[in-house]
Amino acid sequence: QVQLQQSGPGLVKPSQTLSLTCDISGDSVSSNSATWNWIRQSPSRGLEWLGRTYYRSKWFNDYAVSVKSRITINPDTSKNLVSLQLNSVTPEDTAVYFCARVDLGPEGNGAFDIWGQGTMVTVSS
Amino acid sequence: DIQMTQSPSSLSASVGDRVTITCRASQSITSYLNWYQQKPGKAPKLLIYAASSLQSGVPSRFSGSGSGTDFTLTISSLQPEDFATYYCQESYSILFTFGPGTRVDIK
């Protein structure tokens, strides 16, 4: 079955870059029917979609306006993973970060059906 | 931007109760509405997609209905493992906005 395994540091200093990875098993980051998303959750902002990457003959990215100037989501086809980088972080970026899949194929449902376990990231000096 | 609201924000119920949670979108999202269950320290779990379709493996006591702007999630007979927070989420727009959640706890 499809599983997503997240990794990355739990503490990041203000103004630095938050970096997380999401290892994919049971599916391919290059799938023509999936999108690979990052979502975060905090008490103040609730669940917030941050962005996605997906492959449809070439790679595409979409990002939330709230983080568009600071975020990069990249696929790594050699390792079958997707990464998140968020630059210039502040304490407001403190949250639990999740990766999640959307399956748009014939058997898919268009919703976030597979989630990583979540990574609590604290922005503090 | 589409805004999602949920009511109530929390409720207390007993095992065996019928529970209904409402989600409202600020504009029509046709049937692009999903429901998730989240327990403390865990990722959200997909229950219902496309407003009324039951995700594989989810018990049939969960059901969803609605279209346009108004949607409901119903648990026909609440079980001990159902005490959790429930979120609706629109997949109509690129923002994939989530509702604020409804916490279901034990009366």
Side-chain angles (χ1 to χ4, degrees):
Chain A
Q1 75 278 27
V2 181
Q3 291 185 313
L4 305 179
Q5 180 67 38
Q6 297 177 218
S7 58
L11 181 64
V12 182
K13 289 182 167 48
S15 80
Q16 295 193 343
T17 297
L18 180 161
S19 296
L20 298 174
T21 59
C22 177
D23 286 6
I24 301 163
S25 58
D27 200 348
S28 170
V29 70
S30 303
S31 165
N32 273 294
S33 61
T35 70
W36 304 97
N37 301 261
W38 285 95
I39 296 161
R40 67 183 178 184
Q41 184 174 30
S42 65
S44 59
R45 302 172 77 101
L47 284 159
E48 177 186 21
W49 177 83
L50 298 177
R52 66 180 179 181
T53 191
Y54 58 98
Y55 185 76
R56 301 291 185 268
S57 303
K58 67 176 185 177
W59 289 101
F60 293 88
N61 289 97
D62 296 301
Y63 298 126
V65 170
S66 61
V67 294
K68 191 168 186 175
S69 63
R70 301 191 291 130
I71 190 173
T72 304
I73 295 175
N74 280 326
D76 184 329
T77 56
S78 65
K79 296 180 180 178
N80 202 36
L81 62 78
V82 60
S83 65
L84 166 70
Q85 287 194 312
L86 188 64
N87 302 324
S88 306
V89 296
T90 72
E92 290 191 353
D93 294 310
T94 294
V96 178
Y97 287 76
F98 296 98
C99 58
R101 183 189 78 163
V102 172
D103 182 3
L104 298 168
E107 304 294 323
N109 50 43
F112 300 112
D113 65 343
I114 306 293
W115 294 67
Q117 79 276 22
T119 302
M120 177 67 214
V121 179
T122 301
V123 178
S124 174
S125 54
Chain B
D1 296 0
I2 298 173
Q3 309 301 320
M4 307 298 292
T5 57
Q6 288 182 234
S7 60
S9 57
S10 65
L11 65 90
S12 295
S14 301
V15 172
D17 283 354
R18 181 181 183 89
V19 169
T20 298
I21 298 169
T22 297
C23 175
R24 176 164 289 173
S26 60
Q27 67 182 71
S28 176
I29 57 172
T30 62
S31 295
Y32 288 95
L33 191 282
N34 310 304
W35 289 98
Y36 301 84
Q37 175 194 67
Q38 187 178 33
K39 297 181 179 179
K42 300 294 188 182
K45 173 188 174 184
L46 178 64
L47 299 176
I48 301 286
Y49 63 94
S52 60
S53 296
L54 193 67
Q55 172 69 349
S56 175
V58 174
S60 59
R61 62 181 179 272
F62 291 93
S63 64
S65 65
S67 67
T69 60
D70 294 318
F71 303 86
T72 58
L73 172 70
T74 300
I75 309 172
S76 60
S77 177
L78 198 67
Q79 298 301 299
E81 60 268 31
D82 300 337
F83 292 97
T85 301
Y86 294 85
Y87 296 93
C88 62
Q89 175 249 330
E90 60 87 7
S91 50
Y92 182 86
S93 80
I94 188 65
L95 295 178
F96 303 108
T97 306
F98 289 84
T102 295
R103 179 176 172 176
V104 177
D105 59 24
I106 302 171
K107 182 183 285 184

